[in-house]
Amino acid sequence: MCAGVEVIRLIFEELGIEYQERHVIGDDWQALKPKTPFGGLPIYQEGDLVLVQSRAIFRYLARKHGLYGSTEADQAQCDIVAEAIDDAEVSLWRWLCDADPEEKRAAFAGGELSMTLGRLQKWFRRNGDGAQFWVGDSMTYADFMAFAYLDEVRAFFPETLAQFPALHAFYDRVAARRRIAAYLKSPRYLPDFGYGPRGRIKDPAFAPHSR
């Protein structure tokens, strides 16, 4: 899964912060992997500071840039959403990495995926049908995690996402934010979600500058 990298991109894009990204694949990754602390990416570097583990990076950026709510209770709520989205990502990627995902598409969409989206929508709506964000009344890192996950659902199961109007509306609102919308139409937005057992997992709905 590379949603961790995408969340970092989304945060920087929303904030208008320039960043440099190094893609490590193939032989370069095999050479680098033994040198990483836990055998995985992303690795975030800011001056002399080097961070690993996706959610640790998210929380660091959230604290630094005011994306962690305004109270300790808000921070706890952000972390709850982060854990729930992470579980949802794992579930989706189990399907993506299955030996024959298409054979199980309908069962997954009508079963595990719908159950997961239903639970997420219920949590999103806990503060009322007019909720705009997952925590409080402004963007937090939890919103970027949710958007990155829902972007994957949108790519592979648009008809299922459409059955959950609060989640679909949230996705559309974030996608329409000025800087996020510009990013999604730019070459910086990558039309793939990472690597599975059959190679790159591409966004089947992607067309350059179509979003």
Side-chain angles (χ1 to χ4, degrees):
M1 293 181 292
C2 72
V5 178
E6 182 65 6
V7 172
I8 297 169
R9 293 189 196 108
L10 289 166
I11 289 173
F12 284 140
E13 293 287 347
E14 170 67 16
L15 296 174
I17 296 174
E18 292 186 3
Y19 59 94
Q20 294 181 333
E21 187 172 351
R22 177 189 172 195
H23 299 272
V24 185
I25 60 175
D27 292 341
D28 289 342
W29 168 235
Q30 294 305 316
L32 177 63
K33 185 175 182 179
K35 302 175 184 178
T36 64
F38 302 105
L41 298 173
I43 298 174
Y44 175 77
Q45 184 171 356
E46 182 181 300
D48 294 332
L49 176 67
V50 179
L51 300 176
V52 296
Q53 301 292 65
S54 295
R55 278 175 287 169
I57 298 169
F58 303 163
R59 289 191 290 267
Y60 166 78
L61 294 174
R63 288 191 295 268
K64 181 173 181 177
H65 297 290
L67 297 171
Y68 213 160
S70 57
T71 67
E72 289 189 6
D74 285 347
Q75 294 174 6
Q77 293 296 323
C78 286
D79 293 343
I80 289 171
V81 175
E83 297 291 337
I85 294 297
D86 190 63
D87 288 344
E89 280 274 3
V90 170
S91 171
L92 179 61
W93 275 75
R94 276 200 302 263
W95 174 78
L96 284 169
C97 293
D98 189 87
D100 191 357
E102 291 305 315
E103 182 179 330
K104 300 177 180 178
R105 170 182 286 276
F108 178 70
E112 188 172 344
L113 179 60
S114 290
M115 181 178 65
T116 297
L117 293 175
R119 288 172 173 170
L120 289 173
Q121 179 167 265
K122 183 178 180 180
W123 188 260
F124 182 78
R125 283 175 162 170
R126 71 194 184 281
N127 293 325
D129 289 338
Q132 300 289 302
F133 305 102
W134 286 83
V135 178
D137 57 4
S138 61
M139 294 282 283
T140 67
Y141 86 92
D143 294 294
F144 296 107
M145 286 191 67
F147 179 82
Y149 165 70
L150 292 174
D151 195 38
E152 295 175 353
V153 176
R154 180 273 315 158
F156 296 103
F157 296 95
E159 69 289 341
T160 308
L161 180 58
Q163 297 171 20
F164 298 89
L167 297 182
H168 197 286
F170 164 80
Y171 174 84
D172 286 345
R173 280 196 305 275
V174 176
R177 292 176 73 88
R178 180 174 61 85
R179 286 174 173 161
I180 298 298
Y183 162 65
L184 294 175
K185 294 176 181 178
S186 77
R188 297 187 301 281
Y189 175 78
L190 302 179
D192 65 78
F193 297 113
Y195 286 83
R198 293 172 300 282
R200 293 175 67 183
I201 297 177
K202 297 183 179 181
D203 180 346
F206 180 82
H209 309 299
S210 66
R211 300 173 56 186

